[in-house]
Amino acid sequence: MSERLLLVDDEEDIRRFLGMFLADLGYEVHAAENGAQALEMFNAVNPSIVLTDIKMPVMDGLELLKQIKAKAPETEVVMISGHGDMDLAIGCLQYDAADFVTKPINHDILDAALKRVEEKIILRRELKQYTQNLEKLVQEKSRRVIELERQLAAGEMVETMCQAISGLSEDFGDKAGYFNEMPCFVAVHNRSLTVVATNQLYKERLGDMVGHHSWEVYVGQAIRGFDGPVWKTFETGKGQRSRETMLCKNGRELPVMVHTSPIGERDGKVELVLELAVDVSEIKRLQEELRVTQQKYMDLFEATPCYIAVRDRDYRIVANNTLFKQDFGEGVGKLCHEVFRHRDTPCPDCPVDATFEDGTAHTLEAVVTCRDGRSKNVLTFSAPIRNAQGEIVEVMALSTDITQIRELQDHLTSLGLMLGSISHGVKGMLTALEGGVYRLESGIKRQDMTRIADAGDTIKSLVGRVRNLVLNVLYYAKSRDMAGDPVDVSHLAQNVAQVVEPKAAREKIAFTCDLPPDLGMADLDTANLSAALVNILENAIDACTADTAKDAHAISFKASADADAVTFDIADNGMGMSQETREKAFTLFFSSKGLKGTGLGLFIANDVVKKHGGRIDLTSEAGEGTQFHIVVPRRKAEATGS
Amino acid sequence: MPKTILIVDDDPNIREYLETLLTDNGYETIVAENGEKALEVLAAHTPDLITLDIEMPDKTGPWFNRALQRGKTYANIPIIVITGHTGLKYVIPNAVGSLSKPFEQKELLDLVRETIGS
């Protein structure tokens, strides 16, 4: 680029020739004949170099220099000094002239001076440009810093918001922490649809998308053109909600629920958009898991082979399982003690109360009554149910039906008792039998007929006792149903009387029978009922022989019947029973007869009558005698198991 | 003069057996069906030996023995326990012997002979 040069001299020749020389050097030369003219031209030409003579009419070079420097200080002014005004030229330097040349002008010197000036100009220009560049750079950097700070602030905002939301969810007692666990991707987008910040989970699952386009994370949107929720939010200025599919870092597609909302408005335009994406598949999975878990608990609750009831502090049942409902009826809303044990007041031994009290599990074995009247032995475990604050709000009672176990245990205990009782009885009978045999043998040796006969009776009676014992044991060992064939009642009673009569006679007891021949038919088990009646009658005989207070003894055996039932009455005037004996008469292995009794006879008689659906009433007075009143229904259908 | 033995047992068949067996062997016998009756017998007789059952209705063998031991008169009469229970010897600690039912005749007779002679 050629520099513009303003040449100022009052001599026309100099203007002409010097002008030509300068043009040859490559300058765009403009000429003026004095300072005043030069100043006029200065504004239009705007030269970077002014070459001026000092001595000129109208306005001299010094004045021109001053004026130019005042106007445009960067203009380089070179002075041309004539012969004899060297001092003046040097003085010009004080006014910031760039250089001076002397007349007559040496072209080489002028050329060198101009070159220096030109270098100076270029240097200044470069400096200026450099300064300007620097300022521009600073501006650019500052803008970038501001941008980064804004992104940082957005990121912090996202994090803070996440914390606030999870904090809020904790405050609401979301104990399971589903929200904290919930995969929620948070991102902030700017107007140019660029991601400027994301939360940690976003980065972990979807990748570091900061700086990427807003649509890149959405499956399919790069193809169909971005019309996603972020874009819509910028367009409409309103929050959006839609189902989308996002692409994970690992390439998996993720169904999400996206919520967007505008943040930061400038000049009526949305500046940033907050995007919240919730992994719906995860929620679906959790929901399914929750459903399965609840179902499992429900199944467990319903299918457990135990009675389960949940009770509050007011003794109200709040939940019960199927088995409970089956045996005790729907209990929800009802009072526990009413349903379970048919009581008006809470049970004093309630394990649930104890659990409410101390928060630990308790157990209780109790007898409860089903709605059909059956009694059950149950073992109840109680366990506390606490709310989120750890307070016990309800207690669960889990009751196991141990009726069968208890029955079995009773049976086993009975067997143990029986073994002891029977072996004791058998020992006594064996001893007595040996005695009979001894007396028989010694009687034969001595030809003592009385002793032989006596011994025979003894042995016979003992064999009878052994036989009864064996039959009773067999009866007890096998639990059997009563046969229910129609039987002639009169016939049965007469047979019983025939069995007992000789025994009574041997003991010299008056035995009277009142057995009408027309008692009709009844559904009875002949063998078992006969044995039961014989048993009671033999007891009567024993009661008479054991009674030494009276001289004469009598036993009466009476049978009667009406349309529905058959009745047998057996009375003796033997030793009678004390109250305790009376109360325990039908108890297994209870005997008042010492060695003679096994404690089976009346127990089995009672059992047989009960299995026929009948009952035995017993009245007795110690020293006075005993009366048995036995009632058996005619029809087996009325019978219930014992 | 023959020695007298008091037989205490609630089973009439066993009483009869012991009575016959001991009488046949030269002893005199008295019988009682329980402890109370046995005490009544002692009011009129002083036996040389007592055979005592343990389990009897009303007044048992141990009850009778305690009654004997409380007084001086009968405390020294030797007792032979005859019982269906095993391992119950300790309930009559002062007994000279114990037989369990069913017992051997020879065993009883030997024990009686050792204690009071024939």
Side-chain angles (χ1 to χ4, degrees), chain A residues 182-183 278-289:
Chain A
M182 188 161 66
V278 178
D279 183 345
V280 186
S281 69
E282 195 71 2
I283 286 179
K284 272 190 178 153
R285 195 182 62 75
L286 286 172
Q287 276 175 341
E288 179 61 17
E289 211 167 77

Side-chain angles (χ1 to χ4, degrees), chain A residues 302 446 525 629:
Chain A
E302 289 299 346
R446 292 165 182 231
D525 184 306
H629 180 72

Side-chain angles (χ1 to χ4, degrees), chain A residues 40-232:
Chain A
E40 270 171 36
M41 286 173 70
F42 188 86
N43 285 338
V45 174
N46 192 19
S48 52
I49 303 167
V50 176
L51 185 62
T52 182
D53 189 16
I54 296 176
K55 283 194 174 161
M56 289 180 296
V58 190
M59 183 191 281
D60 64 9
L62 185 61
E63 183 58 30
L64 179 65
L65 170 70
K66 285 179 189 168
Q67 296 242 5
I68 285 173
K69 281 293 173 186
K71 201 182 211 120
E74 286 165 21
T75 314
E76 296 299 332
V77 182
V78 178
M79 310 306 287
I80 303 168
S81 66
H83 185 68
D85 48 46
M86 184 59 90
D87 290 344
L88 205 58
I90 291 167
C92 286
L93 295 181
Q94 289 175 346
Y95 291 99
D96 217 7
D99 206 348
F100 66 88
V101 291
T102 51
K103 283 181 183 172
I105 291 168
N106 181 318
H107 283 180
D108 291 336
I109 290 170
L110 178 63
D111 190 17
L114 284 173
K115 278 215 171 71
R116 276 198 301 276
V117 166
E118 209 173 318
E119 271 170 19
K120 207 171 155 188
I121 289 169
I122 289 167
L123 260 177
R124 188 187 293 124
R125 280 212 188 111
E126 276 177 1
L127 187 68
K128 194 176 173 186
Q129 201 172 12
Y130 183 72
T131 309
Q132 276 174 350
N133 282 348
L134 202 65
E135 276 171 4
K136 210 167 138 194
L137 199 69
V138 167
Q139 273 173 1
E140 270 175 18
K141 293 287 178 196
S142 304
R143 225 180 9 252
R144 180 77 188 131
V145 165
I146 289 166
E147 180 74 10
L148 279 173
E149 274 182 351
R150 274 174 59 190
Q151 286 181 6
L152 203 66
E156 272 175 11
M157 185 184 71
V158 169
E159 287 301 327
T160 310
M161 207 167 62
C162 288
Q163 279 171 12
I165 291 171
S166 52
L168 205 64
S169 74
E170 270 167 20
D171 286 347
F172 279 116
D174 182 8
K175 209 178 169 193
Y178 287 131
F179 194 91
N180 291 338
E181 302 270 315
M182 188 161 66
C184 186
F185 309 117
V186 186
V188 177
H189 305 258
N190 65 12
R191 273 206 73 78
S192 50
L193 295 179
T194 304
V195 180
V196 295
T198 65
N199 70 342
Q200 196 56 35
L201 189 71
Y202 192 112
K203 198 183 276 179
E204 280 166 15
R205 298 282 303 276
L206 305 175
D208 189 0
M209 299 302 284
V210 172
H212 288 253
H213 295 298
S214 299
W215 60 81
E216 282 179 44
V217 80
Y218 287 93
V219 171
Q221 284 196 344
I223 299 157
R224 71 178 196 223
F226 191 74
D227 59 350
V230 176
W231 178 80
K232 277 183 196 157

Side-chain angles (χ1 to χ4, degrees), chain B residues 15-78:
Chain B
R15 284 201 302 273
E16 216 167 23
Y17 173 27
L18 288 171
E19 217 178 341
T20 317
L21 180 67
L22 293 170
T23 311
D24 287 353
N25 284 279
Y27 298 101
E28 279 192 359
T29 57
I30 323 162
V31 293
E33 65 199 63
N34 62 39
E36 200 170 15
K37 293 274 159 62
L39 279 188
E40 282 170 23
V41 167
L42 289 180
H45 308 266
T46 307
D48 299 290
L49 181 94
I50 300 171
T51 71
L52 183 64
D53 188 14
I54 301 272
E55 191 185 316
M56 293 176 286
D58 299 332
K59 303 300 185 230
T60 63
W63 177 90
F64 171 69
N65 184 51
R66 278 196 298 277
L68 286 194
Q69 301 305 314
R70 267 198 291 273
K72 283 188 178 168
T73 325
Y74 309 110
N76 292 324
I77 301 175

Side-chain angles (χ1 to χ4, degrees), chain A residues 489 492-494 496-497 500 510-516 519 529 532-538 540 554-562 565-573 609 615-620 626-632:
Chain A
V489 178
L492 183 143
Q494 277 151 14
V496 168
V500 177
F511 183 57
T512 53
C513 292
D514 177 10
L515 308 170
L519 292 173
L529 191 65
L533 292 171
V534 168
N535 229 314
I536 295 169
L537 283 162
E538 284 181 347
I555 295 170
S556 69
F557 179 36
K558 222 170 91 180
S560 58
D562 58 23
V566 181
T567 307
F568 301 97
D569 281 291
I570 295 167
D572 68 68
N573 65 345
V609 171
R615 63 173 206 281
I616 301 181
D617 293 324
L618 165 64
T619 51
S620 184
T626 304
Q627 297 83 43
F628 284 89
H629 180 72
I630 303 135
V631 184
V632 181

Side-chain angles (χ1 to χ4, degrees), chain A residues 498-550:
Chain A
Q498 274 172 26
V499 173
V500 177
E501 211 160 12
K503 295 182 184 176
R506 195 161 57 238
E507 300 295 340
K508 305 190 174 48
I509 298 165
F511 183 57
T512 53
C513 292
D514 177 10
L515 308 170
D518 53 356
L519 292 173
M521 306 296 280
D523 292 344
L524 302 173
D525 184 306
T526 313
N528 279 308
L529 191 65
S530 300
L533 292 171
V534 168
N535 229 314
I536 295 169
L537 283 162
E538 284 181 347
N539 271 327
I541 294 173
D542 288 341
C544 290
T545 53
D547 177 40
T548 49
K550 300 182 199 75

